[in-house]
Amino acid sequence: ALRTIRSLGDLPGGATTSIAWDVSADGSVVVGSSVDATNRLKAFIWTEALGIRDLAQFLVQTAGVNLAIGTDGCASNND
């Protein structure tokens, strides 16, 4: 399979920085961290269809930052 490096972007308004922490087996979902407009480090989720998004907006309940994803692309608590 062809491997490529791709810019994921960053969260709006923050520093132009993002770090990928985990990638699904097929490369369709990436989770990581980025700085937001308030200069706070936030977890993100990225998909090609929707781009980079603040992960907290899409988690109903969380006890911490979820930075691991399974082979099916689902976020999991990395405890």
Side-chain angles (χ1 to χ4, degrees), residues 9-55:
D10 56 78
L11 292 175
T16 310
T17 303
S18 60
I19 299 169
W21 291 103
D22 207 355
V23 181
S24 64
D26 66 0
S28 65
V29 180
V30 178
V31 290
S33 59
S34 183
V35 177
D36 71 1
T38 63
N39 288 322
R40 293 173 39 197
L41 189 63
K42 297 290 211 97
F44 73 76
I45 186 165
W46 176 93
T47 62
E48 187 169 5
L50 298 173
I52 193 168
R53 298 168 286 157
D54 185 338
L55 184 59

